[in-house]
Amino acid sequence: MSAAPTVRAVIARHCQELLADPLLHGDPTLRDIAAQCRQPLRVLLVGNVSTGKSTLLNALIAGPLAATAFEETTSSVTWYHGPELTDPPLPDPGHRSVTTDFPLAGRVMLGDSPGLNTLSDNPRETLRMLGGSDLTGAAAAFVCVLVGGRVDQWAEGLEELAAFSAGPFDLVGNIVVVMAKVDEVDEAVDDIERRVSGDTTTTFRFAAVNQLMAAAARTGAVDDRIVAALDRLRTLPVVHGRSAPAWDRLAEEVGTSLPPGHLKALEQVVGAPAWLPALVAATAGMTTAGAVSEQFERMSRIRTLEAVLSDLADDSDLFTSTAAVLRLRRLAARLKPRPAALVRARLADLTATMHTSGLHRRAAARLVRHTDVGSGLTEHERAAAQALLRWPDAEAEGGAPPASLLSPAPPPSPDTSAAGGDTSDRKTAAEVDAGAVLARWTAYEADPFRDSRSREVAALVIETARHRLRTTRQEES
Ligand SMILES: Nc1nc2c(ncn2[C@@H]2O[C@H](COP(=O)(O)OP(=O)(O)OP(=O)(O)O)[C@@H](O)[C@H]2O)c(=O)[nH]1
Ligand SMILES: [Mg+2]
C-alpha cells in the first residue's frame, strides 16, 4: 500500500501549480508556502529583548551559535535546521539560515528573532512574523519567552497570537509559553508551573526553563573550574542555609581558596544564586565535568521543553497545513480579483482535503490530551479516545501512529511531569475497546453542562468509535 500524501504535501502541490499560472508566477508568498510545506515544522522563538531567547536557542541546538549578551543583541531572524536540509528557502530574503545538528533536527526548524520591546528597528522583523502581516503563518508554531514568573501581563498578546494562528479546527498547542530566567524568580519552579498553568485560559503549552544552565551544559561551559567551585562552596555552612547568599558574600567567604575566575565562571553558568544550594547538594560526590554537566541539564528542565516541541513535531502536518491554509486565505484577500479567484478555487479543494484527511480528528486528539476536554473520564478512557482519533489517519497514511503515542509513557520525573499531560496512558487503536469508548463518550456528551468544544470533540470520538466498530465487523465477516 502506498502512503497517502500528507496534507501539507497536497498544499505544496497546489501552490506549485498556482505558481505555474502567469497571473501568480513568482509570487513570494506562494513560493514560501510551498517551501514551508516541505520543511520540518517552523518554530519561532519570540519575546522581549534580553529575555534569553538566544540563550534558549543555543540550549536547544546544543551549540553556542546564536550571539547572546546583556544588551539588545539579535537584529534579524535566523533559522537553525538539521543537515538534512541544504540551503532551505526561507520566508524572507532578510532571514538567514544555519545548518547544525541538534536533538530535534529534522523535526523542527528553530528561528531566533529580535526582541520586541525596543525603540530600534529590529522588532519589525519579528512583528512581520506575528499577526496581521505578509509573513503571518510563515512560522507555524511559537515559543514565547517570558520572564518574571508571570503571564498575566502578556495574556492579551498571547490571545492575539493564538487568534492569528487559529485554523478551521480548534487548535491546541502551537503556542508554547516558556517562563525563562526562573533563577531570578523568588518562587519554586514547580509552584510557578502550577500557578501559570492555572492562569492561562487558552490552550497554550507551558514550560519553565533555566536556559542559562541548559545552554551551559550543552555548550561545554560546565568545565573543571565549575566542579572545583561547587566543591569548595559545598564546604561553606552559608550555602546550606535556608536562602542562597549573594555572589559577593560567597566571594568573601571563598577568599583566595579558589583560583581567580572560578567563582565568576560558576556565576556565569548559574545566574542568580537562588538555585545554588540545590545545585551544590545535587552534585555532591560528582567529580567530573560530564556528571555535573548532566546535572545542570536535568535541573534546567530543557528536556521538558523538548518533550513539548517533540509533541508538536508529531503533529507537524496539522500545524503546518493550518498555517499554510491561513496564509493562502490572507494572500487571496491581498491579491487582485483574477489571481485571488485562482487561489480561492484551490482553497475550496484544500478545505475539503483537510476534512477528509482526518486532521480535525488529530486536532481533537490534542484537545483530549492537553485540555480539560474529557475531564471526569479516566485517563484510560481519554487515552482510548486519543488512540481512536489518531489511528485511522495513520492507517490511511500507511504509517505508524505518532511516536509520542506509541512510545512508552516516560517515568514520572521532575523533567517530564511538567510537560502538560504527557504522562497519559498510551495505546494503539488495536488495543482499544471501541464499544466501551462509544458508551463512555456518549454518556459524557449527554451531560447538559458540557461546553460546546467538549461536545464537538465527544461527537467526533463517538463517530470514530462507530466507524471503528463497523470496520471491525466488516473485517470479521
Ligand atoms: N540569570 C539568568 N540570566 C540569563 C538566563 N538566560 C539568559 N540570561 C542572560 O540574559 C542576557 C540576555 O540573553 P540573550 O539570550 O542574549 O537574550 P535575547 O532574548 O536573545 O536578547 P535579544 O537578542 O537582545 O532580544 C544575557 O546576558 C544572558 O546571559 C537565565 O536563565 N538566567
Ligand atoms: Mg537574541
Side-chain angles (χ1 to χ4, degrees):
M1 184 171 80
S2 69
T6 56
V7 177
R8 61 187 196 281
V10 175
I11 299 175
R13 184 169 47 75
H14 278 286
C15 291
Q16 223 57 63
E17 286 168 10
L18 283 169
L19 281 163
D21 192 293
L23 281 173
L24 288 159
H25 187 70
D27 183 274
T29 304
L30 274 178
R31 272 213 306 250
D32 188 52
I33 298 172
Q36 180 177 13
C37 286
R38 296 190 178 110
Q39 290 171 356
L41 183 71
R42 288 182 183 166
V43 183
L44 189 71
L45 274 66
V46 294
N48 281 345
V49 165
S50 284
T51 47
K53 300 177 293 299
S54 302
T55 307
L56 180 61
L57 203 133
N58 285 338
L60 291 169
I61 62 170
L65 298 184
T68 65
F70 183 68
E71 66 271 15
E72 183 175 344
T73 308
T74 308
S75 60
S76 61
V77 175
T78 304
W79 293 96
Y80 296 82
H81 59 83
E84 77 289 345
L85 294 179
T86 36
D87 230 354
L90 301 175
D92 187 74
H95 293 191
R96 286 192 318 123
S97 72
V98 173
T99 308
T100 181
D101 211 356
F102 56 100
L104 289 167
R107 310 199 62 215
V108 297
M109 274 171 79
L110 293 170
D112 190 15
S113 70
L116 289 169
N117 60 332
T118 159
L119 294 177
S120 75
D121 269 352
N122 296 338
R124 224 172 352 167
E125 286 276 318
T126 312
L127 291 169
R128 282 180 67 207
M129 300 289 295
L130 302 180
S133 180
D134 55 333
L135 292 184
T136 305
F142 297 91
V143 170
C144 299
V145 183
L146 307 183
V147 291
R150 309 195 64 84
V151 285
D152 35 2
Q153 69 271 43
W154 306 107
E156 217 171 289
L158 290 170
E159 297 286 348
E160 228 169 79
L161 188 56
F164 273 112
S165 47
F169 320 119
D170 195 352
L171 205 55
V172 50
N174 69 322
I175 299 176
V176 182
V177 176
V178 166
M179 190 53 67
K181 298 196 178 183
V182 274
D183 54 299
E184 291 179 348
V185 179
D186 192 17
E187 194 179 359
V189 73
D190 289 329
D191 293 340
I192 299 176
E193 286 202 315
R194 223 174 328 215
R195 184 173 46 70
V196 174
S197 300
D199 276 358
T200 45
T201 51
T202 327
T203 44
F204 303 120
R205 307 293 304 280
F206 178 74
V209 175
N210 185 325
Q211 73 274 26
L212 196 61
M213 285 175 72
R218 291 182 167 188
T219 60
V222 180
D223 55 20
D224 290 341
R225 292 174 307 166
I226 306 297
V227 181
L230 287 170
D231 257 351
R232 178 69 188 93
L233 292 185
R234 205 167 289 118
T235 65
L236 301 178
V238 67
V239 172
H240 301 285
R242 263 175 166 263
S243 56
W247 287 108
D248 292 354
R249 166 86 194 279
L250 289 171
E252 272 170 35
E253 296 260 343
V254 165
T256 54
S257 63
L258 267 179
H262 276 39
L263 201 60
K264 203 75 206 154
L266 183 64
E267 182 179 349
Q268 269 165 7
V269 293
V270 171
W275 288 33
L276 207 47
L279 181 65
V280 164
T283 52
M286 293 183 184
T287 52
T288 64
V292 173
S293 186
E294 172 67 24
Q295 182 58 32
F296 266 66
E297 182 163 323
R298 264 200 298 276
M299 284 179 73
S300 75
R301 303 164 86 94
I302 189 74
R303 290 179 202 156
T304 302
L305 176 60
E306 280 172 340
V308 173
L309 293 176
S310 168
D311 169 68
L312 291 199
D314 281 346
D315 277 322
S316 163
D317 198 30
L318 172 65
F319 293 119
T320 300
S321 302
T322 302
V325 164
L326 290 174
R327 290 185 82 184
L328 285 169
R329 281 201 192 134
R330 286 190 202 103
L331 174 67
R334 279 203 308 273
L335 290 170
K336 295 210 167 79
R338 281 181 61 216
L342 292 176
V343 174
R344 288 209 176 94
R346 298 288 175 148
L347 269 167
D349 272 5
L350 282 174
T351 309
T353 305
M354 285 181 94
H355 276 279
T356 52
S357 67
L359 277 193
H360 60 317
R361 282 195 298 272
R362 284 191 183 205
R366 294 191 70 79
L367 288 169
V368 176
R369 185 152 168 207
H370 298 299
T371 71
D372 60 359
V373 169
S375 65
L377 298 176
T378 64
E379 266 309 305
H380 178 83
E381 287 162 347
R382 295 174 69 164
Q386 288 169 54
L388 274 188
L389 287 167
R390 284 175 176 275
W391 187 256
D393 317 332
E395 268 175 358
E397 284 171 19
S404 67
L405 199 72
L406 278 186
S407 58
S413 76
D415 292 330
T416 52
S417 61
D422 282 354
T423 51
S424 62
D425 184 8
R426 313 277 157 78
K427 296 201 152 299
T428 65
E431 296 163 8
V432 169
D433 177 349
V437 172
L438 182 61
R440 286 300 289 139
W441 282 79
T442 302
Y444 174 86
E445 192 202 22
D447 185 330
F449 295 107
R450 300 274 171 238
D451 60 33
S452 57
R453 186 172 71 181
S454 300
R455 221 182 274 280
E456 257 172 60
V457 172
L460 260 182
V461 175
I462 292 165
E463 182 194 309
T464 314
R466 284 206 179 110
H467 178 73
R468 177 85 199 164
L469 284 171
R470 268 199 308 275
T471 326
T472 316
R473 267 187 227 118
Q474 277 163 10
E475 279 167 8
E476 284 168 1
S477 63

